[in-house]
């Protein structure tokens, strides 16, 4: 039953799901229409609010890009690769493979969504390379399924923004004058318990939906070659110039990384567990710097990671435009009013 249901939704998504960029455009159109219908704003007011909103989210969009690429770069470190090689040996059967990828994807996505996306993808490829009986699309789905807990984790944009003082997107601080520390959001039982349940039950779901042997689609040799060609470790040339020796200097990298560690120590020792969006980015940045060993390796890792940030750079300004319409025309207040009108002590928990 579950296997047939999974196959049905796979077919639907392949046939009818457009790119996320198109969703952002369609949501923009919807916001414009709703603003014209339910607010007194004229067309030019709506368009102006949309344009102003696009520029208002640029800083936040860049923070999201940094979350992705610092997590991605960390996933490409030799230390993480060694751990993945060890974990891949667990996936000796198709069922174990799916369960392993789903579990690792969930845990890593909770830590950092960019890190989780890349780690689970690399793990899926490595297991598929070792185990030719496993369905590769199934492994990919297992890896990305862990992504459902990312916003409950350490890189969740809303809780981190709410914990970041003076952030342009921190509307709670603007309304109340106070930030919401992650101890009151991410690390509360109402968030941790559901996240833990999802992470632990997702592998059980994948134990039930692996395709039958006749339906298995193995990873292609081309895809294997493509992934195996990704390398960020650059050897020092035999006749290296001074510039190249500096690029490959472990000493410079370690000193720079330790500078970041000292900053983090001072931050947490003086401010307590003040985990905000900028600090999370900084933690993954410094971790990547240290674990890559040489500056040139980290440069190469970031150059590789930035290729996956195009969707954020393209879509997030459009989300800012939608936000601009919602706020600038008063549409957000109108929609909030609808829910307030329906609210009661009985419907609160819904």
């Amino acid at each position: 039953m579950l296997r047939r249901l999974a196959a049905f939704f796979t077919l639907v998504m392949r046939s009818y799901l457009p790119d996320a960029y198109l969703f952002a455009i369609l949501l923009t159109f919807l916001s414009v229409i709703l603003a014209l219908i339910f607010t007194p704003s004229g067309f030019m007011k709506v368009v102006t609010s949309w344009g102003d909103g696009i520029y208002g989210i640029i800083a936040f969009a860049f923070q999201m890009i940094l979350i992705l690429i610092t997590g991605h770069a960390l996933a490409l470190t030799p230390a993480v690769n060694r751990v993945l090689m060890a974990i891949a040996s667990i996936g000796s059967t198709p069922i174990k493979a799916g369960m392993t990828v789903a579990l690792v994807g969930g845990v890593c996505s909770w830590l950092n969504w960019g890190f989780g996306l890349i780690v689970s993808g690399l793990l899926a490829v490595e297991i598929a390379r070792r185990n030719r009986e496993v369905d590769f699309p199934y492994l990919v789905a297992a890896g990305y399924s862990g992504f459902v807990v990312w916003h409950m984790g350490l890189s969740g944009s809303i809780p981190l923004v709410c914990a970041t003082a003076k952030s342009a997107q921190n509307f709670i601080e603007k309304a109340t004058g106070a930030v919401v520390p992650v101890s009151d959001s991410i690390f509360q039982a109402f968030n941790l318990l559901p996240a833990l349940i999802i992470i632990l039950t997702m592998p059980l779901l994948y134990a039930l939906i692996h395709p039958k042997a006749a339906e298995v689609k193995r990873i292609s040799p081309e895809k294997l070659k493509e992934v195996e060609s990704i390398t960020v470790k650059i050897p020092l040339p035999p006749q290296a110039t001074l510039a190249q020796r500096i690029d490959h200097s472990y000493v410079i990298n370690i000193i720079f990384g330790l500078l970041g560690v000292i900053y983090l120590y001072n931050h947490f020792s003086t401010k307590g567990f003040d985990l905000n969006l900028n600090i999370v980015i900084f933690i993954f940045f410094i971790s990547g710097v240290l674990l890559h060993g040489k500056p040139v390796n980290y440069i190469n890792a970031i150059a590789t990671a930035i290729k996956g940030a195009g969707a954020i750079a393209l879509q997030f300004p459009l989300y800012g435009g939608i936000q601009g319409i919602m706020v600038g025309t008063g549409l957000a207040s109108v929609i909030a009013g609808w829910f307030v009108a329906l609210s009661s002590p009985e419907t609160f928990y819904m």
Side-chain angles (χ1 to χ4, degrees):
M1 173 63 182
L2 282 176
R3 189 179 289 112
R4 289 197 298 271
L5 192 62
F8 168 74
F9 282 112
T10 298
L11 177 62
V12 170
M13 293 300 103
R14 285 177 176 173
S15 303
Y16 301 107
L17 184 68
D19 188 87
Y21 172 61
L22 273 301
F23 270 118
I25 292 178
L26 294 175
L27 286 174
T28 299
F29 293 161
L30 178 62
S31 300
V32 170
I33 293 170
L34 291 177
L36 291 173
I37 294 175
F38 294 106
T39 74
S41 303
F43 179 72
M44 288 310 301
K45 171 63 176 177
V46 174
V47 172
T48 302
S49 298
W50 172 69
D52 291 342
I54 286 178
Y55 295 110
I57 204 172
I58 295 298
F60 177 67
F62 188 62
Q63 287 173 316
M64 290 298 99
I65 289 173
L66 287 175
I67 282 279
L68 173 62
I69 65 174
T70 55
H72 187 158
L74 182 62
L76 297 176
T77 59
V80 171
N81 183 66
R82 286 192 293 270
V83 173
L84 291 181
M85 294 302 103
I87 294 174
S89 63
I90 300 174
S92 55
T93 68
I95 301 303
K96 288 182 180 179
M99 294 180 70
T100 301
V101 174
L103 180 61
V104 171
V107 171
C108 293
S109 293
W110 189 87
L111 293 173
N112 176 296
W113 64 271
F115 181 66
L117 284 176
I118 304 307
V119 162
S120 57
L122 294 175
L123 181 60
V125 171
E126 179 59 26
I127 290 179
R129 185 183 68 81
R130 299 185 184 197
N131 187 345
R132 303 297 292 172
E133 302 303 317
V134 69
D135 184 77
F136 185 59
Y138 161 82
L139 283 184
V140 173
Y144 283 114
S145 292
F147 193 59
V148 298
V149 299
W150 80 270
H151 213 279
M152 307 165 82
L154 300 182
S155 63
S157 55
I158 292 177
L160 289 179
V161 163
C162 292
T164 304
K166 299 180 181 179
S167 169
Q169 305 302 316
N170 194 344
F171 295 105
I172 290 182
E173 183 185 24
K174 292 178 181 179
T176 66
V179 299
V180 180
V182 293
S183 58
D184 290 341
S185 56
I186 295 174
F187 291 98
Q188 281 290 312
F190 65 75
N191 180 70
L192 288 176
L193 186 58
L196 182 62
I197 291 173
I198 292 172
I199 290 173
L200 294 179
T201 56
M202 192 68 72
L204 301 179
L205 174 63
Y206 275 89
L208 302 174
I209 63 173
H210 188 274
K212 297 178 181 178
E215 301 171 345
V216 167
K217 297 178 181 178
R218 297 173 177 83
I219 188 171
S220 66
E222 293 77 18
K223 177 57 68 175
L224 270 177
K225 186 178 296 185
E226 177 186 336
V227 175
E228 290 171 351
S229 66
I230 298 175
T231 178
V232 297
K233 191 173 183 180
I234 301 176
L236 181 67
Q239 303 296 326
T241 64
L242 176 61
Q244 289 173 324
R245 291 184 182 279
I246 293 174
D247 289 343
H248 287 261
S249 173
Y250 286 99
V251 174
I252 291 176
N253 211 54
I254 291 173
I255 293 174
F256 179 64
L258 289 178
L259 191 66
V261 172
I262 293 170
Y263 171 81
L264 290 172
Y265 172 78
N266 180 69
H267 174 83
F268 288 115
S269 62
T270 58
K271 299 183 179 180
F273 193 60
D274 178 26
L275 193 67
N276 56 56
L277 186 54
N278 295 325
I279 289 297
V280 168
I281 293 170
F282 193 79
I283 289 172
F284 277 85
F285 167 58
I286 291 300
S287 299
V289 166
L290 289 171
L291 290 177
H292 273 288
K294 299 189 293 185
V296 68
N297 290 346
Y298 193 65
I299 292 169
N300 199 25
I302 291 295
T304 300
I306 197 69
K307 297 174 184 177
I312 296 179
L314 185 62
Q315 295 168 36
F316 266 66
L318 297 187
Y319 300 149
I322 294 170
Q323 176 182 284
I325 294 173
M326 299 283 287
V327 176
T329 66
L331 180 60
S333 298
V334 171
I335 295 176
W338 295 344
F339 286 96
V340 170
L342 296 172
S343 64
S344 69
E346 289 73 26
T347 60
F348 175 77
Y349 293 100
M350 298 174 62

